[in-house]
Amino acid sequence: SEAGKPPPWATPESSPKRGKTMDRLPEKTLASALIAASLGANAGGLNSPGIAAAALLQRLSDSQLLLIDVRNPDEYFAEHIPGAINIPVPRLQGLLDPIRQATDPVLYCNDTRLTRVAEQILSRNAVKHFSHLDGGLAAWRRDRLPLERSWR
């Protein structure tokens, strides 16, 4: 994005200290996404290529990386991987173009449930190139890798 202009997926109130989120979601919307994850997800695992936490840490400064936290905004604000943006699963459908244009989008959630739902949304909408964080944020925490907090 141009200097001084937020990327198209960031909300107007985004700032480095405040975090980047797509906006607050009603609990019912998130609950629907979780139900969809448990009912419709591939029980055998994720379909996209995985990246280990340590390998992702080495790539955080890569300008081609678009790290997408698909959890709800409250979870994102509480802690997230440095450089990640927040696009909750229910908002993915409306933000496919920036994800398609990204060279290297990587998805993550706490474990893999929401990531599975995000994968299904992207795949159904012909987004072909994306990967996920193996083990999600749980693996990142387990490896004691850096996390950021944001203020609203």
Side-chain angles (χ1 to χ4, degrees):
S1 67
E2 296 175 35
K5 287 183 81 178
W9 52 81
T11 58
E13 72 270 13
S14 294
S15 73
K17 285 189 173 182
R18 292 173 62 107
K20 302 171 202 144
T21 184
M22 290 317 302
D23 60 356
R24 300 183 63 114
L25 298 170
E27 288 183 43
K28 287 181 183 178
T29 304
L30 184 59
S32 297
L34 289 172
I35 290 168
S38 64
L39 296 176
N42 174 0
L46 297 167
N47 295 315
S48 63
I51 181 170
L56 181 59
L57 176 66
Q58 298 302 312
R59 296 184 47 213
L60 287 182
S61 63
D62 182 348
S63 64
Q64 301 300 310
L65 179 71
L66 176 61
L67 185 57
I68 305 169
D69 184 325
V70 297
R71 301 174 302 152
N72 74 55
D74 290 335
E75 291 175 292
Y76 172 82
F77 281 119
E79 66 179 0
H80 57 271
I81 297 172
I85 63 164
N86 182 226
I87 305 178
V89 165
R91 296 293 311 258
L92 278 174
Q93 186 75 34
L95 293 161
L96 294 171
D97 287 337
I99 297 169
R100 274 191 196 103
Q101 293 168 9
T103 303
D104 189 14
V106 177
L107 309 170
Y108 79 89
C109 65
N110 284 320
D111 43 39
T112 57
R113 288 174 285 174
L114 288 175
T115 302
R116 269 186 251 156
V117 176
E119 275 190 344
Q120 290 174 352
I121 292 168
L122 296 180
S123 294
R124 275 193 301 250
N125 288 280
V127 177
K128 297 182 190 294
H129 302 288
F130 58 90
S131 57
H132 70 273
L133 171 59
D134 279 333
L137 198 56
W140 190 269
R141 282 189 208 104
R142 184 186 61 241
D143 291 349
R144 299 176 189 254
L145 298 175
L147 291 166
E148 290 182 338
R149 290 179 182 231
S150 296
W151 296 271
R152 292 181 195 262

